Amino acid sequence: MSRRPSSRYSEMPMRVTDSRMSLINATPQNKDNVFGKLNIPKPHSTTSERRTSFFGKGIGAGGQRNSMFGAYGGSEKMKDPRPLHDKAFVQQCIKQLCEFLVERGFPGSITVKALQSPSTKEFLKIYEFIYTFLEPSFQMPTSKVEEEIPRMLKDLGYPFALSKSSMYSIGAPHTWPQALGALIWLIDTVKLFSGMREQGLLFSDFSDELCDLEEGAEYNKLFMEYCSDTYNKFMQGADTFEDEDEDYLNKLKKLYSVDEALLQSQQEKHAMLMEHVERLERESQTDRLAGKRTEKLRLQADLQKLQNYRCTLEAHKTGLENKAAGLAEELEAAEIQLDGLKQERTRLQHILENQKFTPADIERINRERNELQQTIQSLNQSLEEAEQLVWNEEVNLSKTKEKAELKVAEYNKLGRKLKLIPQSAENACGHDFEIRTDYSATTITQYKTQIQNPLKNMMVDVEDEYSRLTNVKLSLEETVEQVKSNILDKENDLKHLKEQIRRVDQQLEHDMQEMAQEEEKWSAEVDSAETHKKRLEKNVRQGCEEAEEELKAAQQQYHVVVQETNEENRMVFKNLTDVFTSAVNHLCAVEKHCGEQLKRFDKLKEVIHEDEADMKELTDLVENFVKKVNSI
């Protein structure tokens, strides 16, 4: 019997995710998180009453628990952390459900395609089939099913609400993921229940098979020590037991001589295989040819944008070169003017040092000083006007910045409503669509490349998905119409066969009645002949021979009638045989037609594979061209 030290003996959901639980007890999810953390607050104590432990003595109310196995949390409605609206996750859950039903022998044909949008009747059959593993005598109620199923799930401990209205339209896109999540949880409960039922006793070493009692006793000792330590800490208010878990795992590894290197290599190999399987599933679910064509159109559009951007950069570069040349010329002229001013200053300094001032020079100097003061005043006035102009520009800039910030705030708010912000949002696909207030030329260009291109790609993807779904819908409608027409033809054929059978039965009944009447008639004639014979015997023996001859003639005629009746019965049976033979031949012809259609479908697959090879060559050619453009 298998040992499961980390199995939980309660159907209630965990308040903290246990990373030691087996993957068989959790719904599938991306990467490492198998179920998601349930973020439920601790219950606050409102009284000072004494609390009782299941293993130990009474414990006071100092932040400890008042439960046999710990408190679960508040009564608020929990939000399902599983990505039930993620298409890949839903497909994985559908595949898991289909595998479980096939493995456990579900009565009826079940496929992944049928589970994409099942009817309410199919859902009830699946639910009843799974629930019988928990209660073999269970039968689906005939009335108020939309109320009974949520109630039964709640009684089993399903932690998420399943609305009554969702039971009326199970196959709808907005209700089927929640119902599918409930079925997956029910499957996990069945697996856990089966494992615990197989486990049997608490000390599982005492099984029917021969096992090592000393090793089982050592394992049970470790397990009981671990349960005692963790429970005591749980009753004291702890929610995680990382130290105890690590110590317990180390002891188990030491007890069973676990090869950690081999275990790590197997886990890496399993992760690689799961990634490969997911990639193959994604490739099988998408139309690769349509995807490649869309990618080709997108690459051509990007190439055109790059060429336009390159032309813009070349024009901008030419303009900058022209500005640089003009600035170089102005710089050379300024340097020449500076050299001339330096020479003039040297000359005036030399004159000042070698020449005395005259009254005319003083008057000239005063006049030049007054002119310079007027020039300074005019320059100061120009400076004040320039400062006022700068102030006005700064005010306008601040107003423009405030408007831009309001626009950015509205954009970010709209992005949060559309679940595009933050980067981990549902519809963000890992892109950062948020605009921040640190404005610069580089950030604006970065925002254009960071936001516009992913948004355009998302719009293209949404349009492609819409067109794909429209095509699928049209194809399904055509298939339904074709099936309906085939059903009508078959019903007409069946009515025709029933009418023929009815006519044959009527004819057979009529023949039987006629034969009975003829038998009665001949029996009456025989009686009259016998009476006549007796009368002749009494009267005279001479007519005996004539009576015997008449009797023989009557018997011969009777045998002839019987032979004719048998011949007619044989003809009726032959006609029925011909009718059924014609029906069988018609069914064979229909099967032959279906086989021809399958052959045509295989030929179409080969043509599609050839187109995919051509598309791959075209994609390589486009990538080489893009690399050449980037290198230029």
Side-chain angles (χ1 to χ4, degrees):
M1 298 177 72
S2 61
R3 300 183 179 93
R4 296 186 182 181
S6 60
S7 299
R8 299 178 71 246
Y9 296 97
S10 174
E11 298 296 331
M12 296 297 291
M14 297 181 64
R15 293 178 293 109
V16 178
T17 302
D18 189 356
S19 59
R20 297 174 287 105
M21 290 189 70
S22 174
L23 288 176
I24 197 172
N25 299 325
T27 52
Q29 198 169 356
N30 295 333
K31 304 294 181 184
D32 298 328
N33 189 7
V34 291
F35 192 77
K37 294 185 177 180
L38 302 179
N39 191 9
I40 298 177
K42 298 179 181 178
H44 296 282
S45 176
T46 57
T47 62
S48 60
E49 61 184 10
R50 294 181 61 85
R51 305 180 181 190
T52 304
S53 172
F54 180 73
F55 289 109
K57 60 184 180 178
I59 299 174
Q64 299 174 354
R65 310 198 183 259
N66 183 18
S67 174
M68 297 289 286
F69 289 97
Y72 172 69
S75 60
E76 66 272 14
K77 186 179 291 184
M78 294 173 54
K79 183 179 180 182
D80 196 340
R82 297 173 293 180
L84 294 177
H85 295 287
D86 186 7
K87 295 182 179 179
F89 178 77
V90 172
Q91 293 299 324
Q92 190 175 0
C93 291
I94 290 174
K95 184 179 179 182
Q96 182 181 353
L97 176 59
C98 185
E99 290 175 354
F100 177 85
L101 295 175
V102 173
E103 180 181 356
R104 297 302 179 98
F106 179 75
S109 61
I110 194 71
T111 59
V112 176
K113 185 177 181 182
L115 292 176
Q116 297 294 331
S117 179
S119 62
T120 304
K121 185 178 180 181
E122 292 174 348
F123 173 80
L124 295 178
K125 290 176 64 178
I126 294 171
Y127 181 87
E128 183 180 6
F129 175 77
I130 298 173
Y131 200 90
T132 51
F133 290 99
L134 299 176
E135 185 178 353
S137 61
F138 171 76
Q139 289 184 357
M140 183 62 66
T142 57
S143 63
K144 295 185 178 180
V145 179
E146 64 277 4
E147 296 178 0
E148 291 295 324
I149 289 179
R151 183 189 60 77
M152 288 188 288
L153 290 173
K154 186 178 181 181
D155 294 339
L156 286 176
Y158 186 63
F160 312 114
L162 192 64
S163 62
K164 182 173 68 174
S165 60
S166 62
M167 293 291 102
Y168 294 104
S169 57
I170 287 294
H174 63 282
T175 57
W176 172 234
Q178 283 77 15
L180 179 62
L183 290 178
I184 295 298
W185 182 88
L186 191 60
I187 288 173
D188 296 337
T189 304
V190 169
K191 292 179 180 178
L192 178 62
F193 177 75
S194 301
M196 291 177 63
R197 186 169 57 186
E198 293 173 0
Q199 195 171 10
L201 298 174
L202 176 63
F203 300 97
S204 59
D205 299 279
F206 298 98
S207 60
D208 296 333
E209 300 177 358
L210 296 176
C211 60
D212 190 355
L213 295 178
E214 293 181 357
E215 181 183 355
E218 185 68 22
Y219 163 75
N220 292 329
K221 181 180 178 182
L222 291 177
F223 178 61
M224 292 302 296
E225 290 178 356
Y226 167 76
C227 292
S228 178
D229 295 340
T230 53
Y231 185 75
N232 289 332
K233 285 198 172 184
F234 180 78
M235 293 300 296
Q236 294 174 3
D239 282 332
T240 58
F241 315 101
E242 296 179 355
D243 296 336
E244 287 76 6
D245 293 346
E246 185 176 359
D247 187 20
Y248 179 66
L249 288 176
N250 291 332
K251 289 180 181 179
L252 285 179
K253 289 178 181 178
K254 184 177 179 181
L255 177 62
Y256 294 107
S257 301
V258 177
D259 189 357
E260 295 185 357
L262 179 60
L263 183 61
Q264 184 68 23
S265 63
Q266 292 295 330
Q267 289 178 352
E268 293 177 356
K269 185 177 180 181
H270 178 265
M272 293 174 61
L273 290 175
M274 290 300 293
E275 291 178 358
H276 184 64
V277 170
E278 290 178 359
R279 182 172 57 81
L280 291 177
E281 288 179 353
R282 288 195 300 269
E283 290 179 357
S284 64
Q285 291 174 1
T286 57
D287 190 355
R288 296 180 63 187
L289 181 60
K292 294 296 182 181
R293 289 175 179 172
T294 306
E295 186 177 0
K296 175 186 174 184
L297 296 175
R298 187 169 63 253
L299 290 174
Q300 289 178 352
D302 293 340
L303 179 61
Q304 185 65 32
K305 291 178 182 177
L306 287 174
Q307 291 176 353
N308 296 334
Y309 184 65
R310 179 184 176 188
C311 296
T312 305
L313 289 178
E314 289 178 353
H316 185 62
K317 179 181 178 182
T318 305
L320 291 177
E321 289 177 352
N322 295 331
K323 289 182 181 179
L327 291 174
E329 293 177 357
E330 292 178 0
L331 182 60
E332 291 177 359
E335 288 177 353
I336 294 171
Q337 186 178 2
L338 181 61
D339 293 336
L341 292 174
K342 287 181 179 180
Q343 293 176 2
E344 183 67 20
R345 178 185 175 187
T346 304
R347 185 180 65 79
L348 294 174
Q349 187 69 28
H350 180 70
I351 293 172
L352 180 61
E353 292 175 354
N354 297 327
Q355 191 176 8
K356 295 181 179 180
F357 292 107
T358 60
D361 293 334
I362 293 171
E363 184 179 358
R364 182 176 55 81
I365 289 171
N366 291 330
R367 187 173 61 252
E368 290 178 355
R369 185 183 65 184
N370 294 330
E371 291 177 355
L372 290 173
Q373 288 179 353
Q374 292 177 358
T375 304
I376 289 170
Q377 290 178 357
S378 63
L379 290 175
N380 287 331
Q381 186 177 1
S382 299
L383 180 61
E384 290 177 356
E385 293 177 355
E387 289 177 349
Q388 184 65 30
L389 182 61
V390 169
W391 170 256
N392 294 331
E393 292 295 332
E394 288 179 352
V395 170
N396 294 330
L397 180 61
S398 63
K399 291 180 180 180
T400 305
K401 188 175 181 181
E402 289 177 357
K403 292 180 180 179
E405 290 176 353
L406 290 175
K407 292 291 185 181
V408 169
E410 291 178 358
Y411 166 79
N412 292 332
K413 184 177 180 181
L414 181 60
R416 288 186 179 90
K417 287 183 179 179
L418 296 176
K419 296 182 180 181
L420 295 174
I421 299 173
Q423 190 173 359
S424 61
E426 181 179 354
N427 299 328
C429 299
H431 299 290
D432 187 8
F433 292 104
E434 186 175 2
I435 298 178
R436 298 169 181 84
T437 56
D438 48 348
Y439 303 109
S440 63
T442 56
T443 55
I444 291 172
T445 306
Q446 184 179 359
Y447 282 144
K448 287 183 178 180
T449 58
Q450 179 182 347
I451 295 175
Q452 287 183 355
N453 294 334
L455 283 177
K456 290 180 180 179
N457 294 333
M458 289 177 68
M459 291 174 65
V460 171
D461 294 338
V462 170
E463 291 177 355
D464 294 339
E465 184 68 16
Y466 177 75
S467 61
R468 186 183 68 81
L469 292 175
T470 303
N471 294 330
V472 171
K473 179 182 177 183
L474 293 175
S475 63
L476 290 175
E477 289 178 353
E478 291 177 357
T479 305
V480 168
E481 293 295 333
Q482 186 177 0
V483 170
K484 287 181 178 179
S485 62
N486 292 333
I487 290 172
L488 290 175
D489 294 337
K490 296 298 180 182
E491 288 179 352
N492 293 329
D493 295 339
L494 183 61
K495 289 179 180 178
H496 183 67
L497 291 174
K498 287 182 178 179
E499 183 64 24
Q500 289 182 355
I501 292 171
R502 187 182 62 80
R503 292 176 181 175
V504 171
D505 290 337
Q506 290 179 355
Q507 183 66 29
L508 179 61
E509 184 178 0
H510 183 265
D511 293 340
M512 292 294 290
Q513 290 177 358
E514 290 181 353
M515 186 172 65
Q517 291 176 0
E518 289 178 355
E519 287 179 353
E520 292 176 356
K521 178 181 178 182
W522 288 113
S523 62
E525 291 181 356
V526 169
D527 293 337
S528 63
E530 289 178 352
T531 304
H532 184 66
K533 177 183 177 184
K534 289 178 181 180
R535 188 175 60 252
L536 289 176
E537 285 179 353
K538 289 179 181 179
N539 296 327
V540 65
R541 286 183 169 273
Q542 296 179 358
C544 182
E545 294 178 356
E546 295 178 1
E548 289 177 355
E549 290 177 359
E550 290 178 358
L551 179 61
K552 290 180 180 179
Q555 289 178 351
Q556 289 178 359
Q557 190 175 359
Y558 172 78
H559 288 302
V560 170
V561 172
V562 171
Q563 289 179 359
E564 290 178 355
T565 304
N566 293 331
E567 184 67 18
E568 289 177 357
N569 290 334
R570 188 181 63 80
M571 292 298 294
V572 169
F573 180 77
K574 182 178 179 182
N575 292 333
L576 288 173
T577 304
D578 294 336
V579 170
F580 288 123
T581 304
S582 301
V584 171
N585 293 332
H586 180 69
L587 290 175
C588 293
V590 171
E591 290 180 355
K592 183 177 180 182
H593 179 69
C594 293
E596 292 177 355
Q597 294 296 326
L598 289 174
K599 291 180 180 179
R600 291 179 61 190
F601 182 73
D602 294 335
K603 291 181 180 180
L604 288 174
K605 278 188 177 179
E606 294 176 359
V607 174
I608 289 172
H609 287 312
E610 293 176 359
D611 292 340
E612 287 179 354
D614 296 337
M615 193 65 199
K616 186 176 181 183
E617 293 178 0
L618 183 60
T619 305
D620 295 336
L621 181 61
V622 172
E623 289 179 355
N624 294 330
F625 183 76
V626 171
K627 289 180 181 179
K628 290 180 180 180
V629 171
N630 292 330
S631 62
I632 293 173

